[in-house]
Amino acid sequence: MAKNNTTPMMVQWEAMKEANPGTVLFFRMGDFYEMFGEDAVKSAEVLGLTLTTRSKKQENAMPMAGIPHHALDRYLKEMIKAGIRVAICDQLEDPATAKGIVKRGVTRVVTPGTLIEESCLEGDNNNYLASVAVVGKYAGIGCVDISTGEFYVSVVGINSVGDELEQMGVSETLVPVELMQDGNVLSEALYARSIGLVTKRDGYEFSEREGRMRIKEHFGVDNLAGFGIEDEPVAIAAVGAILVYLEETQKIALTHVRSLKRLNREDYLVLDRTTQRNLELTQTLLSEGSGMSIFKVIDRTCTGAGRRLLKNWLLRPLIDQHYIEYRQGAVRELLEQSSLRCELREILSGISDLERIMARITTGRAGGRELINLHNSLLKLPNLVKLSEAFLSQHLIDLSGIIDLLENVVELIGRSIVDEPPVNLRDGGVIRSEYNEKLSELRAVASGGKDWIKNFQSEEQQRSGISSLKIGFNKVFGYYIEVTNTHKDKVPDTYIRKQTLANAERYITQDLKEYEELVLGAQDKIFALEMKLFVEVRDKVACEVERVQKVAHILAVFDALQSMAEMASAQNYIIPEIAIDIETEIVGGRHPVLDVTLSEFTPNDTAFSDSNALVHIITGPNMAGKSTYIRQVALLGIMAQMGGGIPATKARIGIIDRVFTRVGAADDLAKGQSTFMVEMAETANILNNATSRSLIVLDEVGRGTSTFDGVSLAWAITEYIHNKLRARTLFATHYHELAELGLILDRAENFNVSVRDWGGDVIFLHKIVSGSADKSYGIHVARLAGIPLGVTDRAREILDGLETQAIERDWDIVHEGEVLRAAAREVQNELFAPQAKANDRLVVELAEVDIDNMTPLMGLQKLQQLVDIAREYTQ
Ligand code: ADP
Ligand code: MG
């Protein structure tokens, strides 16, 4: 740092900078937050600000940039998006009354994982901060959303850390710095994973001892048994590290983070990031059509909390048969009882995002509107309880049985806060007059004012006989009596002159002055009292955070359940039978997105059985519907295990422990994923981790390399899955060679997508049928498309030749391109053959001509002969 910034304020700034390493410091000065030095350069670039210098006189003066304080949220959002941590340094005392330099302090460090600003958060998404602690082969993972108060912890094998974090979808991950060096286990486990901003922290923050102490302190407990992590050092360490970080960044105790829930990986269907992406669960692949993710299509929730929960259910479907059936019972009831569902939706529609409101109430950031939203939401609860009398399914009965009406909270807010509070607390008028006697008195004084002034004015007019006398008010002089110069003589002696204008004089009187003090004093007192009362009410409500959170969760569950029922009703879903073996049968299955977006979607059947059709090899031309079909099967499995309905006419789903997907390079157009290496790494992941209860979806594996390579790999992989893993597998491929496998392996079966010639056009029927596709379907399609019979016959000949010769060339090209081109050349030869023959003969005849020994007549005769030859071939 240049030594040229030694004003006291800059000393203050430097100290702040030092205490908050790795952050950009937003330093409050007057109405602005200012950034200096490198912070200024970085912020100017990210936020598009103008860069100036602090002192223009000096050489190498310090760069500086600033933002208006009221626009803080907007700029914070940009900084966080750019992956930058921001330390917010505020003035801790009023600059007007401060002696010397204003006291300043960092009030909060804002990072991607610790956002709480409503404007920076998306209602639909949780915002998770995670941490990873490692002991030996195990890792503890902590995961908190401070905008809602949810806190989870899990213990997994080190190799599953990446999957676990990706399944949660985290914004920021805390890791011990020592474990993130190159080649270390953790850095390898997290390599190339989507885990948000990686924040490296000191190793001691991840110690079990520190963690144990922090957890006890934060949750106010004596031991950790209640959280199920008493004997799990890694879990304790991970949770502890989060608590340290929250204390450091938030500066206040987060009392709304009240529960800690242990998650067990074995309790959920595992969907890694690749699979989430390939199946377009929450985001669409840019390259592909409809632009609708599964979530977008199935989401029929009415509340923000319900939406987040449904998304969690989609990304973390269940695996326990009884639990799935428990949810199904509720969904079935709400599906069948449409009026019940309607009423439930009606109630839920009036409910605000209670989790987020409570986070803001407990951190002291909520205003009057939020309290009223909480109040109005809670007011709906009695209706819900009434509605629940009709419930028959166990799940709905259990849920409604634990609804807490929170009457004391409703009563308190209802009694204290006005119906429509101002957006800003500073505007005043948030507390009801009836709530506090003193407030009511003060208000009477302040508002009684208008009448008093009116009376006073008419009294003075009569007393002085000046009918144009007026009472006015301005900020400098307060209340005054104004008399125009024409009536100056009539002014009584008791008037004290205050101000002279061009055509009038302004006076005050003792009475007016006394009155003014009362009124103005009252307004200040009202404001101070209102703030005090408001904070009291807010704090009282904050004390009930646990109860409100419980109700919020119940409401979210109701919402997610009704959403599944609503969706099932809208699209004619059925509730599938759930089984623990792997026998799986779907009749009339549809792809959930295309089912909604296409006017005519062809349903397909699927059946897996341990004894025969376990590995399905699906061949068929491009655009036949292979990719759609294999994804559809995986999606229906996932939706079934969410406990809701699925688009089919009948189904039995054998519980899936994990869905694996691999989409071949040529089919995967999303950025940065098109290398063969990635393809093989993903395939390796499948082969190493799939179990006999997994569902494997392979779309064109082996495309990223030459055909012989590709076919061989795909072949070997399929054999391995079939023989060793014995997992349900759908393998779509355009390598018809692989159809051999369907014949050789006993539990593999061939399928193809039927194509039909319809009045000379190729029609894709999108129907999956038994048997492999016609080996030379490319030629078949060419024929259907109107290529002459001679050409396609010849193409078949060439193909047979090529196949027997087994030329070392890329089959892709040979098969789909070269073959047709070769055939086309042959046709050309046929077409142009007569002319070629004519040329040949003409050349031969001409070469034999001996001009020296020819008479002119002989010359003419020769010419005639050549012309005849030419004519013979061109007629
Ligand atoms: P492939 O993988 O065989 O090349 P896709 O699965 O990508 O084919 O499907 C191509 C297009 O065909 C899809 O975008 C969709 O519009 C349509 N399609 C696929 N399956 C069906 C179906 N069962 N019913 C109706 N249209 C379908
Ligand atoms: Mg495809």
Side-chain angles (χ1 to χ4, degrees), residues 326 391 393-403 554 558:
Y326 182 61
F391 292 158
S393 64
Q394 196 55 47
H395 195 3
L396 294 182
I397 290 170
D398 291 348
L399 276 175
S400 42
I402 49 173
I403 294 175
I554 294 167
F558 267 121

Side-chain angles (χ1 to χ4, degrees), residues 519-558:
V519 170
L520 295 185
Q523 237 127 38
D524 285 349
K525 281 183 199 145
I526 288 171
F527 181 72
L529 184 58
E530 269 207 293
M531 286 302 254
K532 180 172 152 277
L533 293 171
F534 180 77
V535 171
E536 271 171 24
V537 170
R538 190 171 63 188
D539 287 351
K540 272 192 196 146
V541 174
C543 291
E544 303 292 0
V545 59
E546 256 181 284
R547 290 171 63 202
V548 179
Q549 279 177 345
K550 273 201 194 109
V551 167
H553 183 70
I554 294 167
L555 290 169
V557 175
F558 267 121

Side-chain angles (χ1 to χ4, degrees), residues 662-669 673-674 679 698-704:
R662 162 90 277 277
V663 173
D667 265 45
D668 183 0
L669 299 173
Q673 294 287 310
S674 53
E679 174 177 340
L698 301 171
D699 201 349
E700 304 285 8
V701 163
R703 251 200 190 176

Side-chain angles (χ1 to χ4, degrees), residues 37 43 51 64-65 75 88 103 109 149 157 225 230 250 252 339 349 457 477 582 592 596 634 660 865:
S43 321
L51 204 58
M64 171 173 161
Y75 286 113
I88 299 174
K103 203 190 274 170
V109 178
E230 177 76 46
Q250 301 305 297
I252 48 168
S339 68
S349 303
Q457 179 168 300
F477 297 104
I582 69 167
V596 171
F660 289 95
Q865 198 191 342

Side-chain angles (χ1 to χ4, degrees), residues 594 598 600-604 620-629 632 667 699-700 732 753 765-767:
L594 296 184
L598 286 188
E600 273 180 57
F601 185 84
T602 311
N604 274 303
N622 278 334
M623 289 303 286
K626 301 185 295 301
S627 301
T628 307
Y629 169 70
Q632 164 188 315
D667 265 45
D699 201 349
E700 304 285 8
V753 200
L765 297 178
H766 306 300
K767 195 80 192 165

